[in-house]
Coordinates of all heavy atoms in Angstrom, one line a residue:
M1 N 3.2 109.2 -69.9 CA 4.0 110.4 -70.2 C 5.5 110.0 -70.0 O 5.8 109.4 -69.0 CB 3.6 111.5 -69.2 CG 4.4 112.8 -69.4 SD 3.6 114.1 -68.4 CE 4.8 115.3 -68.7
P2 N 6.3 110.4 -70.9 CA 7.8 110.0 -70.7 C 8.4 110.7 -69.5 O 7.9 111.8 -69.1 CB 8.4 110.5 -72.0 CG 7.4 111.0 -72.9 CD 6.1 111.1 -72.1
S3 N 9.4 110.1 -69.0 CA 10.1 110.6 -67.8 C 10.8 111.9 -68.2 O 11.0 112.1 -69.4 CB 11.0 109.6 -67.2 OG 12.1 109.4 -68.1
R4 N 11.2 112.7 -67.2 CA 12.0 113.9 -67.5 C 13.3 113.6 -68.3 O 13.6 114.3 -69.2 CB 12.3 114.6 -66.2 CG 13.0 115.9 -66.3 CD 13.2 116.5 -64.9 NE 14.1 117.6 -65.0 CZ 13.8 118.9 -65.2 NH1 12.5 119.2 -65.4 NH2 14.7 119.8 -65.3
T5 N 13.9 112.5 -67.9 CA 15.1 112.1 -68.6 C 14.9 111.8 -70.0 O 15.6 112.2 -70.9 CB 15.8 110.9 -67.9 OG1 15.9 111.2 -66.5 CG2 17.1 110.6 -68.5
A6 N 13.8 111.1 -70.3 CA 13.5 110.7 -71.7 C 13.2 112.0 -72.5 O 13.6 112.1 -73.6 CB 12.3 109.8 -71.7
R7 N 12.4 112.9 -71.9 CA 12.1 114.2 -72.6 C 13.4 115.0 -72.9 O 13.6 115.5 -73.9 CB 11.2 115.1 -71.8 CG 9.7 114.5 -71.8 CD 8.8 115.6 -71.1 NE 9.3 116.0 -69.8 CZ 8.7 115.8 -68.7 NH1 7.5 115.2 -68.7 NH2 9.1 116.2 -67.6
Q8 N 14.3 115.0 -71.9 CA 15.6 115.7 -72.1 C 16.4 115.0 -73.2 O 17.0 115.7 -74.0 CB 16.4 115.8 -70.8 CG 15.8 116.7 -69.8 CD 16.5 116.6 -68.4 OE1 17.2 115.6 -68.1 NE2 16.4 117.6 -67.6
G9 N 16.4 113.7 -73.2 CA 17.1 113.0 -74.2 C 16.6 113.3 -75.6 O 17.4 113.5 -76.5
R10 N 15.3 113.5 -75.8 CA 14.8 113.8 -77.1 C 15.2 115.2 -77.5 O 15.5 115.5 -78.6 CB 13.2 113.8 -77.1 CG 12.7 112.4 -77.4 CD 11.3 112.5 -77.8 NE 10.6 113.1 -76.7 CZ 9.5 112.5 -76.1 NH1 9.1 111.3 -76.5 NH2 8.9 113.0 -75.1
L11 N 15.2 116.1 -76.5 CA 15.7 117.5 -76.8 C 17.1 117.5 -77.2 O 17.5 118.1 -78.1 CB 15.5 118.4 -75.5 CG 14.0 118.8 -75.2 CD1 14.0 119.5 -73.9 CD2 13.4 119.5 -76.3
L12 N 17.9 116.7 -76.5 CA 19.3 116.6 -76.8 C 19.5 116.0 -78.2 O 20.3 116.5 -79.0 CB 20.1 115.8 -75.8 CG 20.3 116.5 -74.4 CD1 21.0 115.6 -73.5 CD2 21.1 117.8 -74.6
C13 N 18.7 114.9 -78.4 CA 18.8 114.3 -79.7 C 18.4 115.2 -80.9 O 19.0 115.3 -81.9 CB 18.0 113.0 -79.7 SG 18.1 112.1 -81.3
G14 N 17.3 115.9 -80.6 CA 16.8 116.9 -81.6 C 17.9 118.0 -81.8 O 18.1 118.5 -82.9
G15 N 18.6 118.4 -80.7 CA 19.6 119.4 -80.8 C 20.8 118.9 -81.7 O 21.4 119.6 -82.4
C16 N 21.1 117.6 -81.5 CA 22.2 117.0 -82.2 C 21.9 117.0 -83.7 O 22.7 117.3 -84.5 CB 22.4 115.5 -81.8 SG 23.1 115.5 -80.1
S17 N 20.6 116.7 -84.1 CA 20.2 116.7 -85.4 C 20.4 118.1 -86.0 O 20.8 118.3 -87.1 CB 18.8 116.3 -85.6 OG 18.3 116.4 -86.9
F18 N 20.0 119.1 -85.2 CA 20.1 120.5 -85.7 C 21.6 120.9 -85.9 O 21.9 121.5 -86.9 CB 19.4 121.4 -84.7 CG 19.5 122.9 -85.0 CD1 18.8 123.4 -86.1 CD2 20.4 123.7 -84.3 CE1 18.9 124.8 -86.4 CE2 20.5 125.1 -84.6 CZ 19.7 125.6 -85.7
V19 N 22.4 120.5 -84.9 CA 23.8 120.8 -85.0 C 24.4 120.1 -86.3 O 25.2 120.8 -87.0 CB 24.6 120.3 -83.8 CG1 26.1 120.4 -84.0 CG2 24.2 121.2 -82.6
S20 N 24.0 118.9 -86.6 CA 24.6 118.2 -87.7 C 24.1 118.9 -89.0 O 24.8 119.0 -90.0 CB 24.3 116.7 -87.8 OG 22.9 116.6 -87.8
Q21 N 22.9 119.5 -89.0 CA 22.4 120.2 -90.2 C 23.2 121.5 -90.3 O 23.6 121.9 -91.5 CB 21.0 120.5 -90.0 CG 20.1 119.3 -90.2 CD 18.6 119.7 -89.9 OE1 18.3 120.8 -89.6 NE2 17.7 118.7 -90.1
I22 N 23.5 122.2 -89.2 CA 24.4 123.4 -89.3 C 25.8 123.1 -89.8 O 26.3 123.8 -90.7 CB 24.5 124.0 -87.9 CG1 23.1 124.5 -87.4 CG2 25.5 125.2 -87.9 CD1 22.6 125.7 -88.2
E23 N 26.3 122.0 -89.3 CA 27.7 121.6 -89.8 C 27.7 121.2 -91.2 O 28.8 121.3 -91.9 CB 28.2 120.4 -88.9 CG 28.5 120.8 -87.5 CD 28.9 119.7 -86.6 OE1 28.6 118.5 -87.0 OE2 29.4 119.9 -85.5
A24 N 26.6 120.9 -91.8 CA 26.6 120.5 -93.3 C 26.5 121.7 -94.2 O 26.6 121.5 -95.4 CB 25.4 119.6 -93.5
V25 N 26.3 122.9 -93.7 CA 26.2 124.1 -94.5 C 27.6 124.5 -95.0 O 28.5 124.6 -94.2 CB 25.5 125.2 -93.7 CG1 25.5 126.5 -94.5 CG2 24.1 124.9 -93.3
D26 N 27.7 124.8 -96.3 CA 28.9 125.3 -96.8 C 29.0 126.8 -96.7 O 28.0 127.5 -96.8 CB 29.1 124.9 -98.3 CG 29.3 123.4 -98.5 OD1 29.9 122.8 -97.7 OD2 28.9 123.0 -99.6
V27 N 30.2 127.3 -96.3 CA 30.5 128.7 -96.2 C 31.6 129.0 -97.2 O 32.7 128.4 -97.1 CB 30.9 129.0 -94.8 CG1 31.2 130.5 -94.7 CG2 29.8 128.7 -93.8
E28 N 31.4 130.0 -98.0 CA 32.4 130.4 -99.0 C 33.4 131.4 -98.3 O 33.0 132.4 -97.7 CB 31.8 131.1 -100.2 CG 32.9 131.6 -101.2 CD 32.3 132.4 -102.3 OE1 31.7 133.4 -102.1 OE2 32.4 131.9 -103.5
I29 N 34.7 131.0 -98.3 CA 35.7 131.8 -97.7 C 36.5 132.5 -98.8 O 36.9 131.9 -99.8 CB 36.7 131.0 -96.8 CG1 35.9 130.3 -95.7 CG2 37.8 131.9 -96.3 CD1 35.3 131.2 -94.7
S30 N 36.6 133.9 -98.7 CA 37.4 134.6 -99.6 C 38.3 135.5 -98.9 O 38.1 135.8 -97.7 CB 36.5 135.4 -100.6 OG 35.6 136.2 -99.9
V31 N 39.4 136.0 -99.6 CA 40.4 136.8 -98.9 C 40.5 138.1 -99.8 O 40.7 138.0 -101.0 CB 41.7 136.1 -98.8 CG1 42.8 137.0 -98.3 CG2 41.6 134.8 -97.9
V32 N 40.5 139.2 -99.1 CA 40.7 140.5 -99.8 C 42.1 141.0 -99.5 O 42.5 141.2 -98.4 CB 39.7 141.6 -99.3 CG1 39.9 142.9 -100.0 CG2 38.2 141.1 -99.6
L33 N 42.9 141.1 -100.6 CA 44.3 141.6 -100.5 C 44.4 143.1 -100.3 O 45.3 143.6 -99.6 CB 45.1 141.1 -101.7 CG 45.1 139.6 -102.0 CD1 45.9 139.4 -103.3 CD2 45.8 138.9 -100.8
G34 N 43.5 143.8 -101.0 CA 43.5 145.3 -101.0 C 42.4 145.8 -101.9 O 41.7 145.0 -102.5
R35 N 42.4 147.1 -102.0 CA 41.3 147.8 -102.8 C 41.9 148.8 -103.7 O 43.0 149.3 -103.4 CB 40.3 148.4 -101.9 CG 39.6 147.4 -101.0 CD 38.7 148.2 -100.0 NE 38.0 147.2 -99.1 CZ 37.1 147.5 -98.3 NH1 36.7 148.8 -98.1 NH2 36.5 146.6 -97.5
S36 N 41.2 149.2 -104.7 CA 41.6 150.2 -105.6 C 40.4 150.9 -106.2 O 39.3 150.3 -106.4 CB 42.4 149.6 -106.7 OG 43.0 150.6 -107.5
V37 N 40.5 152.2 -106.4 CA 39.4 153.0 -107.1 C 40.0 153.5 -108.4 O 41.0 154.1 -108.4 CB 38.9 154.2 -106.2 CG1 37.9 155.0 -106.9 CG2 38.4 153.7 -104.9
L38 N 39.3 153.1 -109.5 CA 39.8 153.5 -110.8 C 38.7 154.2 -111.6 O 37.5 153.8 -111.4 CB 40.2 152.2 -111.6 CG 41.3 151.4 -111.0 CD1 41.4 150.1 -111.8 CD2 42.6 152.1 -111.0
P39 N 39.0 155.1 -112.4 CA 38.0 155.7 -113.3 C 37.5 154.6 -114.3 O 38.2 153.7 -114.7 CB 38.7 156.8 -114.1 CG 40.0 157.0 -113.3 CD 40.3 155.7 -112.6
M40 N 36.2 154.6 -114.6 CA 35.6 153.6 -115.5 C 36.4 153.5 -116.8 O 36.6 152.4 -117.4 CB 34.2 153.9 -115.8 CG 33.5 152.9 -116.7 SD 33.5 151.2 -116.0 CE 32.2 151.4 -114.8
Q41 N 36.8 154.7 -117.3 CA 37.6 154.7 -118.6 C 38.8 153.9 -118.5 O 39.2 153.1 -119.4 CB 37.9 156.2 -119.0 CG 38.7 156.3 -120.3 CD 39.0 157.7 -120.6 OE1 38.8 158.6 -119.7 NE2 39.4 158.0 -121.8
Q42 N 39.6 154.0 -117.4 CA 40.8 153.2 -117.2 C 40.5 151.7 -117.1 O 41.1 150.9 -117.7 CB 41.5 153.7 -115.9 CG 42.9 153.0 -115.7 CD 43.6 153.5 -114.5 OE1 43.2 154.5 -113.9 NE2 44.7 152.8 -114.2
L43 N 39.4 151.4 -116.4 CA 39.0 150.0 -116.2 C 38.6 149.4 -117.6 O 39.0 148.3 -117.9 CB 37.8 149.9 -115.3 CG 37.3 148.5 -115.0 CD1 38.3 147.7 -114.2 CD2 36.0 148.6 -114.2
L44 N 37.9 150.1 -118.4 CA 37.5 149.6 -119.7 C 38.7 149.4 -120.7 O 38.6 148.6 -121.6 CB 36.5 150.6 -120.4 CG 35.1 150.6 -119.7 CD1 34.3 151.7 -120.3 CD2 34.4 149.3 -119.7
R45 N 39.8 150.2 -120.5 CA 41.0 150.0 -121.3 C 41.9 148.9 -120.9 O 42.8 148.5 -121.6 CB 41.8 151.3 -121.3 CG 41.1 152.5 -122.1 CD 42.1 153.6 -122.2 NE 42.8 153.9 -121.0 CZ 42.9 155.1 -120.4 NH1 42.4 156.1 -121.0 NH2 43.5 155.2 -119.3
M46 N 41.6 148.3 -119.7 CA 42.5 147.3 -119.2 C 42.4 146.0 -120.1 O 41.3 145.6 -120.5 CB 42.2 146.9 -117.8 CG 42.7 147.9 -116.8 SD 42.4 147.4 -115.2 CE 43.2 148.6 -114.3
G47 N 43.5 145.4 -120.2 CA 43.6 144.1 -121.0 C 44.5 143.2 -120.2 O 44.9 143.4 -119.1
R48 N 44.8 142.1 -120.9 CA 45.7 141.1 -120.4 C 47.0 141.8 -120.0 O 47.6 142.5 -120.8 CB 45.9 140.0 -121.4 CG 46.8 138.9 -120.9 CD 47.0 137.8 -121.9 NE 47.7 136.7 -121.4 CZ 47.2 135.5 -121.3 NH1 46.0 135.2 -121.7 NH2 47.9 134.5 -120.7
G49 N 47.5 141.5 -118.8 CA 48.8 142.0 -118.3 C 48.6 143.3 -117.6 O 49.6 143.9 -117.1
A50 N 47.4 143.9 -117.6 CA 47.2 145.2 -116.8 C 47.5 145.0 -115.4 O 47.2 143.9 -114.8 CB 45.8 145.7 -117.1
V51 N 48.1 146.0 -114.7 CA 48.4 145.9 -113.3 C 47.4 146.9 -112.6 O 47.3 148.0 -112.9 CB 49.8 146.3 -113.0 CG1 50.1 146.4 -111.5 CG2 50.8 145.4 -113.8
I52 N 46.8 146.4 -111.5 CA 45.9 147.2 -110.7 C 46.6 147.5 -109.4 O 46.8 146.5 -108.6 CB 44.5 146.4 -110.5 CG1 43.8 146.1 -111.8 CG2 43.6 147.3 -109.6 CD1 42.6 145.3 -111.7
P53 N 46.9 148.7 -109.1 CA 47.5 149.0 -107.9 C 46.5 148.9 -106.7 O 45.4 149.3 -106.8 CB 48.0 150.5 -108.0 CG 47.1 151.0 -109.1 CD 46.7 149.9 -110.0
L54 N 47.0 148.4 -105.6 CA 46.1 148.2 -104.4 C 46.6 149.1 -103.3 O 47.7 149.6 -103.3 CB 46.2 146.8 -103.9 CG 45.7 145.7 -104.9 CD1 45.9 144.3 -104.4 CD2 44.3 145.9 -105.3
D55 N 45.7 149.4 -102.4 CA 46.0 150.2 -101.2 C 46.7 149.5 -100.1 O 46.6 149.8 -98.9 CB 44.7 150.9 -100.7 CG 43.7 149.9 -100.2 OD1 43.9 148.7 -100.3 OD2 42.7 150.3 -99.6
A56 N 47.4 148.4 -100.4 CA 48.0 147.5 -99.4 C 49.5 147.3 -99.7 O 49.9 147.3 -100.9 CB 47.3 146.2 -99.3
S57 N 50.2 147.1 -98.7 CA 51.6 146.7 -98.9 C 51.8 145.2 -98.6 O 50.9 144.5 -98.1 CB 52.5 147.6 -98.0 OG 52.3 147.2 -96.6
E58 N 53.0 144.8 -98.8 CA 53.3 143.3 -98.7 C 53.1 142.8 -97.3 O 52.6 141.6 -97.2 CB 54.8 143.1 -99.1 CG 55.3 141.7 -99.1 CD 56.7 141.6 -99.5 OE1 57.4 142.6 -99.9 OE2 57.3 140.5 -99.3
K59 N 53.3 143.6 -96.3 CA 53.2 143.1 -94.9 C 51.8 143.4 -94.3 O 51.6 143.0 -93.1 CB 54.3 143.7 -94.0 CG 55.7 143.3 -94.5 CD 55.8 141.8 -94.3 CE 57.2 141.3 -94.7 NZ 57.4 139.9 -94.7
D60 N 50.9 144.0 -95.0 CA 49.6 144.3 -94.4 C 48.8 143.1 -94.2 O 48.9 142.1 -94.9 CB 48.8 145.3 -95.4 CG 49.3 146.7 -95.3 OD1 50.1 147.0 -94.4 OD2 48.9 147.5 -96.2
E61 N 47.9 143.1 -93.2 CA 47.0 142.0 -93.0 C 45.9 142.0 -94.1 O 45.6 143.1 -94.6 CB 46.2 142.2 -91.6 CG 47.1 141.9 -90.4 CD 46.3 142.1 -89.1 OE1 45.7 143.1 -89.0 OE2 46.4 141.1 -88.3
V62 N 45.4 140.9 -94.4 CA 44.3 140.7 -95.4 C 43.0 140.5 -94.6 O 43.0 140.2 -93.4 CB 44.6 139.5 -96.3 CG1 45.8 139.7 -97.1 CG2 44.7 138.2 -95.5
W63 N 41.9 140.8 -95.3 CA 40.6 140.5 -94.8 C 40.1 139.1 -95.2 O 40.2 138.7 -96.3 CB 39.6 141.6 -95.4 CG 39.8 142.9 -94.9 CD1 40.5 143.9 -95.5 CD2 39.3 143.5 -93.7 NE1 40.4 145.1 -94.8 CE2 39.8 144.8 -93.6 CE3 38.6 143.0 -92.6 CZ2 39.5 145.7 -92.6 CZ3 38.3 143.8 -91.5 CH2 38.8 145.2 -91.5
I64 N 39.6 138.4 -94.2 CA 39.0 137.1 -94.5 C 37.5 137.2 -94.4 O 37.0 137.7 -93.4 CB 39.5 136.1 -93.4 CG1 41.1 136.0 -93.5 CG2 38.9 134.7 -93.7 CD1 41.7 135.2 -92.3
L65 N 36.8 136.9 -95.5 CA 35.4 137.0 -95.5 C 34.7 135.6 -95.5 O 35.2 134.7 -96.2 CB 35.0 137.7 -96.8 CG 35.7 139.1 -97.1 CD1 35.1 139.7 -98.4 CD2 35.5 140.0 -96.0
A66 N 33.6 135.5 -94.9 CA 32.8 134.3 -94.9 C 31.4 134.7 -95.5 O 30.7 135.6 -94.9 CB 32.6 133.7 -93.5
N67 N 31.1 134.2 -96.7 CA 29.9 134.6 -97.4 C 29.9 136.1 -97.6 O 28.8 136.7 -97.3 CB 28.7 134.0 -96.8 CG 28.5 132.5 -97.0 OD1 29.2 132.0 -97.8 ND2 27.7 131.9 -96.1
N68 N 31.0 136.7 -97.9 CA 31.1 138.2 -98.2 C 31.0 139.0 -96.9 O 30.8 140.2 -97.0 CB 30.1 138.6 -99.3 CG 30.5 138.1 -100.6 OD1 31.7 138.0 -100.9 ND2 29.6 137.7 -101.4
H69 N 31.1 138.4 -95.7 CA 31.0 139.2 -94.5 C 32.4 139.1 -93.8 O 32.9 138.0 -93.6 CB 29.9 138.7 -93.6 CG 28.6 138.9 -94.1 ND1 27.9 140.1 -94.1 CD2 27.7 138.0 -94.8 CE1 26.7 139.9 -94.7 NE2 26.6 138.7 -95.1
P70 N 33.0 140.2 -93.4 CA 34.3 140.1 -92.7 C 34.2 139.4 -91.4 O 33.3 139.7 -90.6 CB 34.7 141.6 -92.5 CG 33.4 142.4 -92.6 CD 32.5 141.6 -93.5
V71 N 35.1 138.4 -91.2 CA 35.1 137.6 -90.0 C 36.4 137.6 -89.3 O 36.5 137.4 -88.1 CB 34.6 136.2 -90.2 CG1 33.2 136.1 -90.6 CG2 35.5 135.5 -91.2
A72 N 37.5 137.9 -90.0 CA 38.8 137.8 -89.4 C 39.8 138.6 -90.3 O 39.6 139.0 -91.4 CB 39.3 136.4 -89.3
R73 N 41.0 138.8 -89.7 CA 42.2 139.4 -90.4 C 43.2 138.3 -90.4 O 43.2 137.4 -89.6 CB 42.7 140.6 -89.7 CG 41.7 141.8 -89.5 CD 41.3 142.4 -90.8 NE 42.3 142.8 -91.7 CZ 42.7 144.1 -91.7 NH1 42.2 145.0 -90.9 NH2 43.7 144.4 -92.6
G74 N 44.1 138.3 -91.4 CA 45.1 137.3 -91.5 C 46.4 137.8 -92.2 O 46.4 138.9 -92.7
E75 N 47.4 136.9 -92.2 CA 48.7 137.2 -92.9 C 48.9 136.1 -94.0 O 48.5 134.9 -93.8 CB 49.8 137.1 -91.9 CG 49.7 138.2 -90.8 CD 50.8 138.1 -89.8 OE1 51.5 137.0 -89.7 OE2 51.0 139.1 -89.1
I76 N 49.4 136.6 -95.1 CA 49.7 135.6 -96.2 C 51.0 134.8 -95.9 O 52.0 135.4 -95.4 CB 49.9 136.4 -97.5 CG1 48.6 137.2 -97.8 CG2 50.3 135.5 -98.6 CD1 48.8 138.2 -99.0
E77 N 50.9 133.6 -96.2 CA 52.1 132.7 -96.1 C 52.2 131.9 -97.4 O 51.2 131.6 -98.0 CB 51.9 131.7 -95.0 CG 51.9 132.3 -93.6 CD 51.9 131.2 -92.5 OE1 52.1 130.0 -92.8 OE2 51.6 131.5 -91.4
I78 N 53.4 131.5 -97.7 CA 53.6 130.7 -98.9 C 54.2 129.4 -98.3 O 55.2 129.3 -97.6 CB 54.7 131.3 -99.9 CG1 54.3 132.7 -100.3 CG2 54.9 130.3 -101.0 CD1 53.0 132.8 -101.1
R79 N 53.4 128.3 -98.6 CA 53.8 126.9 -98.1 C 53.9 126.0 -99.3 O 52.9 125.7 -99.9 CB 52.8 126.4 -97.1 CG 52.7 127.2 -95.8 CD 51.7 126.5 -94.9 NE 51.5 127.3 -93.7 CZ 50.6 127.0 -92.8 NH1 49.8 126.0 -93.0 NH2 50.5 127.8 -91.7
D80 N 55.1 125.5 -99.6 CA 55.2 124.5 -100.7 C 54.6 125.0 -102.0 O 53.8 124.3 -102.6 CB 54.7 123.2 -100.3 CG 55.4 122.6 -99.1 OD1 56.6 122.8 -98.9 OD2 54.7 121.9 -98.3
D81 N 54.9 126.2 -102.4 CA 54.3 126.8 -103.6 C 52.8 127.0 -103.6 O 52.2 127.2 -104.6 CB 54.7 126.0 -104.8 CG 56.2 126.0 -105.1 OD1 56.8 127.0 -104.7 OD2 56.7 125.0 -105.7
R82 N 52.2 127.0 -102.4 CA 50.8 127.3 -102.2 C 50.6 128.5 -101.3 O 51.4 128.7 -100.4 CB 50.1 126.1 -101.6 CG 50.2 124.8 -102.3 CD 49.4 124.6 -103.5 NE 48.0 124.8 -103.1 CZ 47.0 124.7 -104.0 NH1 47.3 124.4 -105.2 NH2 45.7 124.8 -103.6
I83 N 49.6 129.3 -101.6 CA 49.3 130.4 -100.7 C 48.4 130.0 -99.6 O 47.4 129.3 -99.8 CB 48.6 131.5 -101.5 CG1 49.5 132.0 -102.7 CG2 48.2 132.7 -100.7 CD1 48.9 133.0 -103.6
A84 N 48.7 130.4 -98.4 CA 47.9 130.1 -97.2 C 47.7 131.4 -96.4 O 48.5 132.3 -96.6 CB 48.5 129.0 -96.4
I85 N 46.7 131.4 -95.6 CA 46.4 132.6 -94.8 C 46.4 132.1 -93.3 O 45.7 131.1 -93.0 CB 45.0 133.2 -95.1 CG1 44.9 133.6 -96.6 CG2 44.7 134.4 -94.2 CD1 45.9 134.6 -97.0
T86 N 47.1 132.8 -92.5 CA 47.1 132.5 -91.0 C 46.2 133.6 -90.4 O 46.4 134.8 -90.5 CB 48.5 132.6 -90.4 OG1 49.4 131.7 -91.1 CG2 48.5 132.4 -88.9
V87 N 45.2 133.1 -89.6 CA 44.3 134.0 -88.9 C 45.0 134.7 -87.8 O 45.7 134.0 -87.0 CB 43.0 133.3 -88.4 CG1 42.1 134.2 -87.6 CG2 42.3 132.7 -89.6
T88 N 44.9 136.0 -87.7 CA 45.6 136.8 -86.7 C 44.7 137.4 -85.6 O 45.1 137.6 -84.5 CB 46.5 137.9 -87.3 OG1 45.7 138.8 -88.1 CG2 47.6 137.3 -88.1
R89 N 43.5 137.7 -86.1 CA 42.5 138.3 -85.1 C 41.2 138.4 -85.8 O 41.0 138.2 -87.0 CB 43.0 139.7 -84.7 CG 43.1 140.7 -85.9 CD 43.7 142.0 -85.4 NE 44.1 142.9 -86.5 CZ 43.4 144.0 -86.8 NH1 42.4 144.4 -86.1 NH2 43.8 144.8 -87.8
T90 N 40.2 138.7 -85.0 CA 38.8 138.9 -85.5 C 38.7 140.2 -86.3 O 39.5 141.1 -86.0 CB 37.7 138.9 -84.4 OG1 38.0 139.9 -83.5 CG2 37.7 137.5 -83.7
A91 N 37.8 140.3 -87.1 CA 37.6 141.5 -88.0 C 36.8 142.5 -87.3 O 35.9 142.2 -86.5 CB 37.0 141.1 -89.3
D92 N 37.1 143.8 -87.6 CA 36.3 144.9 -87.1 C 35.5 145.3 -88.4 O 36.0 145.9 -89.3 CB 37.1 146.0 -86.6 CG 36.3 147.2 -86.1 OD1 35.1 147.4 -86.5 OD2 36.8 148.0 -85.3
V93 N 34.2 145.0 -88.4 CA 33.4 145.2 -89.6 C 33.3 146.7 -89.9 O 33.2 147.0 -91.1 CB 31.9 144.6 -89.3 CG1 31.0 145.5 -88.6 CG2 31.3 144.2 -90.6
Y94 N 33.4 147.6 -89.0 CA 33.3 149.0 -89.3 C 34.6 149.4 -90.1 O 34.5 150.3 -91.0 CB 33.1 149.8 -88.0 CG 31.8 149.5 -87.3 CD1 31.8 148.7 -86.2 CD2 30.6 149.8 -87.9 CE1 30.6 148.4 -85.6 CE2 29.4 149.5 -87.3 CZ 29.4 148.8 -86.2 OH 28.2 148.4 -85.6
D95 N 35.7 148.9 -89.7 CA 37.0 149.1 -90.5 C 36.8 148.7 -91.9 O 37.3 149.3 -92.8 CB 38.2 148.5 -89.8 CG 38.7 149.3 -88.6 OD1 38.2 150.4 -88.4 OD2 39.5 148.7 -87.8
F96 N 36.3 147.5 -92.0 CA 36.1 146.9 -93.4 C 35.2 147.8 -94.3 O 35.5 148.1 -95.4 CB 35.5 145.5 -93.3 CG 35.4 144.8 -94.7 CD1 36.5 144.3 -95.3 CD2 34.1 144.8 -95.3 CE1 36.3 143.7 -96.6 CE2 34.0 144.2 -96.5 CZ 35.1 143.7 -97.2
M97 N 34.1 148.2 -93.7 CA 33.1 149.1 -94.4 C 33.8 150.4 -94.8 O 33.5 151.0 -95.8 CB 31.9 149.2 -93.6 CG 31.1 147.9 -93.5 SD 29.7 148.0 -92.3 CE 28.7 149.3 -93.0
A98 N 34.6 150.9 -93.9 CA 35.3 152.2 -94.2 C 36.5 152.1 -95.1 O 37.0 153.1 -95.5 CB 35.7 152.8 -92.8
G99 N 36.9 150.8 -95.4 CA 38.0 150.6 -96.3 C 39.3 150.8 -95.7 O 40.3 151.0 -96.4
Q100 N 39.4 150.7 -94.4 CA 40.6 150.8 -93.7 C 41.3 149.5 -93.5 O 40.7 148.4 -93.6 CB 40.4 151.4 -92.3 CG 39.8 152.8 -92.3 CD 39.5 153.3 -90.9 OE1 39.7 152.7 -89.9 NE2 38.9 154.5 -90.8
A101 N 42.6 149.5 -93.3 CA 43.4 148.3 -93.1 C 43.4 147.9 -91.7 O 43.0 148.5 -90.8 CB 44.9 148.6 -93.6

């Protein structure tokens, strides 16, 4: 029978394998700038160049989603002509579901 240390080592090694499998999983990150409710008729008439008004202003926090689940709030930054998001706090899932900012 293996010693206690050897058994613990296998558990740790097995845990490391599990952790590396978890780390290999891809998570899709998306950012929600705002929301809008439109009548279907207006949506169907939209074409190139149409503007969709959102319920957010320039300084509002955005929602950060991981696999379509709210995980954080953030602020938009422009860095070298690229858009970036700075995480500001964790998300309140109930606010997200209610459509609040």
Side-chain angles (χ1 to χ4, degrees):
M1 180 170 175
S3 70
R4 180 177 171 92
T5 306
R7 286 191 306 243
Q8 288 173 338
R10 271 198 301 239
L11 289 175
L12 290 176
C13 181
C16 291
S17 174
F18 178 71
V19 169
S20 63
Q21 289 177 355
I22 294 291
E23 290 174 346
V25 174
D26 288 333
V27 177
E28 179 184 61
I29 301 296
S30 53
V31 176
V32 177
L33 301 175
R35 298 176 182 185
S36 185
V37 176
L38 303 171
M40 181 61 77
Q41 181 181 12
Q42 184 178 352
L43 181 64
L44 292 172
R45 287 191 315 231
M46 284 187 175
R48 185 180 184 117
V51 176
I52 300 172
L54 300 176
D55 64 352
S57 68
E58 183 179 352
K59 297 295 180 185
D60 284 349
E61 288 182 310
V62 296
W63 290 98
I64 302 168
L65 310 180
N67 290 341
N68 291 322
H69 296 281
V71 293
R73 301 297 303 267
E75 295 176 346
I76 299 172
E77 291 186 15
I78 307 297
R79 295 182 183 174
D80 300 324
D81 296 331
R82 303 284 299 182
I83 298 172
I85 305 298
T86 300
V87 176
T88 57
R89 61 187 169 110
T90 58
D92 183 335
V93 83
Y94 298 107
D95 284 347
F96 181 78
M97 292 169 59
Q100 297 176 2

